[in-house]
Amino acid sequence: MRALVVYCHPVPESFCASIRDTAVEVLKARGWEVRLLDLYAEKFDPVMGCDERRSYNDQAPQDPALKPHFELLNWAEAILFVYPTWWYGLPAMLKGWLDRVWATDVAFKLPVGKGRIKSLMTHVTKVGVITTCGAPTWWSVVVGQPGRKTLLRGMRALCATRCRTFFLAHYLMDASTPRTRAAFLAKVRAKLERF
């Protein structure tokens, strides 16, 4: 299995970095081929420019910096997102990556007229999300968990018909302790061993 780990956090010593390292370790131990995409480390530009937006419906973006990202999407059979939830959703860097990389003629083809969008991501059979949230579980649910819905409903809809998904979140991250963080990393290990 080929797994792309999409990691998005600006602080190298964050707990999200521990989650990332645990995830990569478990997947490799299972014999998966893993590629790590660290958006902040590579200084990914999340801003879609005027010309890119104007041609968005007609062709894949022409920015040469995006080509390796397109290749990673085409390579992956599983995608694992590791990021902090900020204001109930995705960090701007990750949202910009989706905007610019999951694009026309890369992730989908737009129809002529009123037809249906055609997915180009049906080779992806698994999508997982591991995140941290400052809010408690109940409040995240009340707000509607927009980050979860974006990835596990919106993006997953472009993947294989029977694509398997999972979502893990360490809620109340701002009040976390070494014990709660260790327990969460154990959950991450257990989930990825079955993923």
Side-chain angles (χ1 to χ4, degrees):
M1 193 65 141
R2 297 187 304 268
L4 173 61
V5 177
V6 181
Y7 174 69
C8 186
H9 199 296
V11 180
E13 70 277 10
S14 70
F15 181 59
C16 275
S18 297
I19 295 170
R20 173 204 63 208
D21 294 344
T22 299
V24 169
E25 174 193 321
V26 171
L27 294 176
K28 283 184 174 180
R30 292 187 61 202
W32 289 27
E33 187 179 348
V34 178
R35 293 187 184 169
L36 174 64
L37 176 57
D38 184 334
L39 296 175
Y40 276 95
E42 78 159 50
K43 296 179 176 35
F44 179 78
D45 181 0
V47 178
M48 182 184 292
C50 179
D51 290 338
E52 188 174 321
R53 181 59 204 144
R54 282 184 175 141
S55 64
Y56 186 85
N57 291 352
D58 302 321
Q59 65 184 9
Q62 300 302 299
D63 183 345
L66 298 178
K67 188 176 181 206
H69 296 263
F70 300 157
E71 290 168 354
L72 284 172
L73 274 191
N74 191 48
W75 170 86
E77 296 172 307
I79 302 175
L80 178 64
F81 295 93
V82 179
Y83 64 91
T85 295
W86 291 337
W87 286 106
Y88 316 108
L90 307 173
M93 176 82 74
L94 181 53
K95 177 60 171 65
W97 184 77
L98 296 175
D99 291 343
R100 298 193 69 209
V101 175
W102 288 62
T104 305
D105 294 336
V106 178
F108 58 88
K109 281 195 172 292
L110 287 174
V112 176
K114 294 185 178 182
R116 297 181 71 165
I117 289 176
K118 180 185 177 200
S119 172
L120 300 176
M121 298 293 294
T122 55
H123 55 281
V124 176
T125 61
K126 298 173 189 270
V127 177
V129 172
I130 307 175
T131 188
T132 57
C133 302
T137 308
W138 70 270
W139 183 247
S140 296
V141 171
V142 166
V143 170
Q145 296 180 309
R148 179 180 187 164
K149 288 179 181 173
T150 295
L151 296 172
L152 297 187
R153 289 189 186 173
M155 308 319 285
R156 185 241 174 258
L158 292 173
C159 298
T161 303
R162 290 191 172 89
C163 181
R164 293 179 53 210
T165 65
F166 79 85
F167 180 86
L168 278 180
H170 185 308
Y171 294 100
L172 293 172
M173 187 63 207
D174 301 337
S176 71
T177 65
R179 187 169 162 239
T180 64
R181 292 190 296 274
F184 186 73
L185 288 178
K187 278 187 189 177
V188 168
R189 282 184 179 281
K191 180 59 85 172
L192 290 175
E193 282 169 2
R194 296 188 310 270
F195 182 47

